[in-house]
Amino acid sequence: QVQLVESGGGLVQPGGSLRLSCAASGFTLDYYAIGWFRQAPGKEREGVSCITTSGVTLNYMDSTKGRFTISSDNAKNTVYLQMNNLMPEDTANYYCAAKPYSCTGLATLYPTWGQGTQVTVSS
């Protein structure tokens, strides 16, 4: 069964850091793009960043550029989102998602999703 599982969320103070993990099972990352999305209550799901099997990365939010970094470890079949200098506006449920081949920031184009992990940034 194809499955994505996020982990690493939690409560952190402003300025702190978290590293989210997205572990894939039932398939390998070869020929796939993995995207990170986030959704706050009452708001639409937004694309954060994406990585392809070739290592190409894309950012979809100006507000996270320079603070968030997406990476992958193909041997572990895992994608990471390193989040530094976290701000209260980063508070959201964070999801990873998979689609074949190429990146996009549109959530509707990803057929496979994880369950989400909550990130709360607060004093």
Side-chain angles (χ1 to χ4, degrees):
Q1 180 179 357
V2 176
Q3 188 176 18
L4 298 174
V5 178
E6 302 96 333
S7 62
L11 176 64
V12 65
Q13 297 183 41
S17 298
L18 288 172
R19 188 178 75 161
L20 306 183
S21 297
C22 174
S25 62
F27 68 103
T28 66
L29 297 179
D30 292 353
Y31 310 112
Y32 278 85
I34 303 295
W36 282 101
F37 295 79
R38 69 185 189 185
Q39 187 170 22
K43 298 184 179 180
E44 293 186 347
R45 190 166 297 185
E46 300 176 294
V48 177
S49 60
C50 182
I51 188 168
T52 70
T53 186
S54 64
V56 175
T57 61
L58 292 88
N59 292 302
Y60 298 107
M61 290 186 176
D62 288 339
S63 63
T64 62
K65 288 182 179 179
R67 300 189 298 118
F68 290 10
T69 303
I70 191 169
S71 63
S72 64
D73 185 338
N74 290 340
K76 297 181 178 179
N77 226 34
T78 300
V79 171
Y80 304 96
L81 185 67
Q82 179 67 45
M83 304 186 295
N84 297 327
N85 193 24
L86 283 161
M87 304 176 180
E89 54 263 42
D90 297 319
T91 296
N93 203 7
Y94 283 72
Y95 300 86
C96 64
K99 67 182 291 291
Y101 298 108
S102 60
C103 284
T104 178
L106 298 176
T108 56
L109 298 182
Y110 285 79
T112 303
W113 289 83
Q115 84 289 346
T117 185
Q118 179 67 37
V119 172
T120 302
V121 185
S122 176
S123 298

